[in-house]
Amino acid sequence: MSSATLKAYTTQKALKTVVENFRKPRQLFMYHPIQFEINGTFPTTKTALFSKNVNGTTYWMANMTNVYERDRQILTHDGKFREEDFLAVFDEFCKQNGLFAGSNTPSTVAERCYTQAKKRQYNILQIEKYMKKNKIEAQVNNKSSHFFAMNESQMFKYRHYEDGSLPDGYSINVPESVDDVSQILGSSVAPNAKLVEEKLRRFPSLCVRKGDELAGFISSETHGALAHLHVFDSHRGKNLGEKLEIGAAKMAIENGIRPCKFIDTTNEFFLEKAKKSKMMDVVESNGTPLVFDQNVYSPASNYGAYQ
């Protein structure tokens, strides 16, 4: 059995009624954007949430629109995930938000079960199955990550953590957007000056400097995860990255954000480093680290048949 139509939560009042549902570590990347929408943290983004209960499982789908970057869709669920039920709800969600219509291709963040079908030997992607059924052709750029988040005891530790020691001549402070954004953009995979400046201004972000020289930085994504930790080559080997991450985590906690981060599944060095640091726990299901896929869909040459 399923509810008749998608239920929409498009106002701050409506979002407040469900936001606490997403405090579980595996759903923090849904919790934070909803909380940002309620608090008006990032005014250039509008987050609308939709849900539907099918056979006892509630599927939650958020659509984040932003004037500075392409729309992002966040997918999660409560209950037992079933492929056919998800695809039916996803179809409604796409039609409600105009996804796969014209050139409006999605950019999804979700657990692996949303993108990888059970019959993995066939390498069939859930959303690609949906695309094939609707005769949609699009290219997919996939990034698979493990997700790390602080537990309550870790948050208590780092909320009160004091380590003011830095190598001689170095200091850590918030970015000065006008002066720093060009250097940070130079290290960005997808540079967008205004978006970077807005994220530096509104989310936990820090810079480390040696005198007036920018030595490294850390910022956050619009779904709340710490990201883009970078120390320039000439300043490495001084433990500056760890100090940036701890400082940004403290800022996040002070602003009601549970510190979390994605690490690429192929980045064995940083995965092992994150596990050994015990600063955050890897998010697991039944003792196995969950894999989260961030998929960006781009139009193919004959794209747009599905309206």
Side-chain angles (χ1 to χ4, degrees):
M1 297 293 293
S2 66
S3 52
T5 59
L6 283 177
K7 187 172 182 180
Y9 307 81
T10 58
T11 66
Q12 291 177 327
K13 182 177 180 181
L15 291 170
K16 285 179 181 179
T17 66
V18 295
V19 64
E20 293 304 315
N21 181 73
F22 304 109
R23 280 188 174 271
K24 296 181 286 294
R26 58 176 276 268
Q27 293 179 323
L28 285 175
F29 60 92
M30 178 72 87
Y31 173 78
H32 290 135
I34 294 174
Q35 196 64 263
F36 297 155
E37 181 69 24
I38 292 170
N39 296 336
T41 304
F42 202 56
T44 60
T45 293
K46 172 65 179 176
T47 300
L49 179 67
F50 302 85
S51 73
K52 188 170 185 176
N53 186 285
V54 185
N55 295 321
T57 296
T58 301
Y59 296 89
W60 301 92
M61 302 184 182
N63 190 46
M64 298 172 62
T65 60
N66 187 292
V67 299
Y68 299 124
E69 63 178 343
R70 66 182 298 165
D71 296 354
R72 175 179 286 163
Q73 295 75 39
I74 301 176
L75 315 174
T76 189
H77 65 282
D78 290 314
K80 183 179 180 180
F81 180 86
R82 298 177 181 86
E83 295 176 13
E84 291 185 3
D85 292 344
F86 158 68
L87 291 173
V89 178
F90 186 69
D91 179 62
E92 293 185 55
F93 176 70
C94 286
K95 291 174 179 175
Q96 181 84 22
N97 293 280
L99 301 178
F100 291 117
S103 60
N104 188 19
T105 48
S107 174
T108 59
V109 182
E111 291 178 41
R112 170 62 57 86
C113 62
Y114 282 82
T115 54
Q116 186 75 66
K118 287 183 180 179
K119 296 181 179 179
R120 295 189 180 184
Q121 64 268 33
Y122 300 113
N123 197 30
I124 301 173
L125 300 179
Q126 292 287 9
I127 296 177
E128 286 186 7
K129 288 172 66 178
Y130 171 83
M131 291 160 54
K132 184 176 180 180
K133 177 182 176 182
N134 289 284
K135 299 180 180 179
I136 301 167
E137 291 193 17
Q139 298 174 333
V140 184
N141 182 19
N142 167 263
K143 179 181 178 181
S144 296
S145 307
H146 289 303
F147 191 49
F148 290 76
M150 279 193 180
N151 60 38
E152 292 295 334
S153 62
Q154 290 163 336
M155 288 179 66
F156 179 83
K157 173 183 176 180
Y158 286 102
R159 180 185 289 113
H160 303 285
Y161 191 85
E162 293 295 340
D163 182 10
S165 60
L166 282 167
D168 288 345
Y170 286 90
S171 62
I172 290 181
N173 46 42
V174 296
E176 298 173 7
S177 297
V178 175
D179 296 327
D180 296 333
V181 70
S182 62
Q183 292 186 65
I184 293 174
L185 278 171
S187 303
S188 175
V189 175
N192 180 325
K194 191 61 179 178
L195 175 64
V196 172
E197 184 176 341
E198 282 292 294
K199 289 196 291 188
L200 292 176
R201 186 159 65 95
R202 298 183 181 277
F203 295 123
S205 304
L206 286 172
C207 287
V208 59
R209 293 181 174 82
K210 185 174 185 180
D212 295 329
E213 178 187 358
L214 184 66
F217 60 88
I218 187 171
S219 61
S220 304
E221 277 294 348
T222 52
H223 50 51
L226 298 177
H228 312 300
L229 174 61
H230 183 78
V231 176
F232 293 101
D233 289 347
S234 60
H235 299 279
R236 292 180 179 174
K238 299 178 174 64
N239 211 30
L240 299 176
E242 180 180 295
K243 294 184 182 300
L244 281 169
E245 188 171 24
I246 290 173
K250 289 184 68 173
M251 289 181 69
I253 294 168
E254 291 167 1
N255 285 277
I257 302 170
R258 183 183 289 267
C260 56
K261 62 183 177 182
F262 288 99
I263 299 180
D264 196 315
T265 55
T266 63
N267 196 332
E268 295 181 6
F269 174 79
F270 280 104
L271 284 171
E272 287 304 311
K273 188 174 181 180
K275 292 173 184 176
K276 289 179 180 178
S277 76
K278 300 188 184 303
M279 182 177 173
M280 300 183 193
D281 293 334
V282 63
V283 177
E284 299 180 340
S285 176
N286 299 320
T288 301
L290 285 171
V291 176
F292 293 81
D293 283 332
Q294 300 179 61
N295 286 356
V296 178
Y297 298 82
S298 302
S301 57
N302 60 345
Y303 182 79
Y306 175 58
Q307 302 292 332

